[in-house]
Amino acid sequence: MRKHIVAGNWKMNKTLAEGKALASEVVNMVHAEVPGDVVVILGAPFIHLPAVVQLTASASKVLVAAQNCSEHAAGAYTGEVSVAMLKSAGVQYVIIGHSERRQYFYENSEQLAKKVDLALAEGLTPIFCCGEPLEVREEKAHFDYVCRQLTESLFHLTREQITRLVIAYEPIWAIGTGKTASAAQAQEMHAKIRGHLASQYGAEAANNISLLYGGSCKPDNAKELFANPDVDGGLIGGASLKARDFIDIVNSF
Ligand code: PEP
């Protein structure tokens, strides 16, 4: 059975002290207020990760993600952070292919496939992001666009490997814009993604992969989004920076 997951993506926000305070607040609120069977993930900046891993150790529901990793295993790549380093810091998840990485750092499908392979080889769970820009949706080419992103970076994986992934659908026009996909638009795309995964790996495998929605998900729209049969949770940017908002989203199933 697939899991309900709410993952925060702090992006390049919070000093180390602020990040530690936020992680502690989230952990305290999870202990006090989150009764359900939900996986809560904190996607912190690289230098925060060891501290956040330590601060979340007492909460079995709270796990930690990096926001990126190198496409190389090790070596002379100044400034990069390898999957092995993340693993050695106690990180369990890694966000791969976020649209900001694709857009501002020109990450392409081939590089993302290498990152996914390295993450899986080290036993980390990739949170693989996909999603279309506004002009593609306006041309009504969004289903093909997103399915192509999945095919290009993921369809070399075995069935066993693909079921170890989490996939986040994040329409670029909804990220950080306050413009959320409607519940119907999210469900429609998630069903399409699951169907595409099923066409390659079979329905059983596809049904075991958690599909998250991301894009201006907030406490006031999370319930409606998460009520969809193919929406298994959310990847949350802005609203993950406030513990209260984030926990309200976590409790929206
Ligand atoms: C994101 O960047 O992953 C995201 C979903 O951001 P926001 O929630 O701020 O739109």
Side-chain angles (χ1 to χ4, degrees):
M1 259 310 275
R2 55 189 192 252
K3 297 171 186 158
H4 283 162
I5 299 173
V6 176
N9 175 12
W10 296 356
K11 310 194 185 188
M12 198 174 73
N13 292 297
K14 306 285 180 191
T15 62
L16 180 56
E18 290 165 350
K20 285 164 75 170
L22 177 58
S24 300
E25 222 183 328
V26 168
V27 166
N28 291 339
M29 287 185 177
V30 166
H31 281 311
E33 304 179 28
V34 179
D37 224 1
V38 52
V39 178
V40 178
I41 300 172
L42 303 182
F46 285 135
I47 71 151
H48 299 39
L49 290 169
V52 174
V53 165
Q54 204 173 14
L55 287 163
T56 53
S58 68
S60 58
K61 275 180 203 166
V62 185
L63 300 172
V64 179
Q67 299 171 13
N68 183 31
C69 63
S70 174
E71 74 201 74
H72 304 287
Y77 301 101
T78 302
E80 289 289 276
V81 174
S82 73
V83 165
M85 292 173 190
L86 297 176
K87 188 173 183 194
S88 72
V91 170
Q92 299 98 342
Y93 289 80
V94 55
I95 298 171
I96 293 176
H98 191 282
S99 62
E100 288 153 15
R101 303 286 325 163
R102 295 177 190 258
Q103 192 178 344
Y104 305 137
F105 303 97
Y106 309 107
E107 294 189 359
N108 61 39
S109 295
E110 205 182 322
Q111 290 171 300
L112 301 179
K114 288 183 190 164
K115 293 182 184 206
V116 168
D117 290 346
L118 287 168
L120 289 172
E122 286 287 352
L124 265 73
T125 301
I127 302 176
F128 183 82
C129 301
C130 56
E132 80 287 356
L134 184 59
E135 60 273 18
V136 169
R137 180 163 280 265
E138 284 172 348
E139 285 162 12
K140 303 201 186 325
H142 45 296
F143 294 129
D144 287 348
Y145 186 95
V146 167
C147 287
R148 195 165 51 246
Q149 287 180 319
L150 300 179
T151 303
E152 288 179 358
S153 295
L154 303 182
F155 277 17
H156 63 287
L157 299 174
T158 65
R159 183 176 293 125
E160 183 278 325
Q161 287 176 317
I162 196 95
T163 54
R164 289 200 271 136
L165 254 68
V166 172
I167 294 176
Y169 168 59
E170 301 202 301
I172 296 171
W173 46 270
I175 295 180
T177 59
K179 202 173 165 194
T180 321
S182 68
Q185 285 173 319
Q187 169 56 26
E188 191 183 34
M189 181 59 88
H190 282 222
K192 191 77 192 173
I193 291 172
R194 206 177 299 287
H196 190 55
L197 294 167
S199 72
Q200 179 77 0
Y201 294 103
E204 194 187 337
N207 282 333
N208 278 316
I209 298 173
S210 293
L211 304 183
L212 313 184
Y213 168 79
S216 299
C217 184
K218 307 269 186 262
D220 60 3
N221 59 24
K223 242 190 186 71
E224 199 189 348
L225 288 160
F226 295 176
N228 285 299
D230 286 296
V231 178
D232 305 307
L235 180 54
I236 318 298
S240 72
L241 297 174
K242 287 194 181 132
R244 180 71 273 152
D245 286 355
F246 187 57
I247 293 299
D248 286 347
I249 294 172
V250 168
N251 278 330
S252 293
F253 290 100

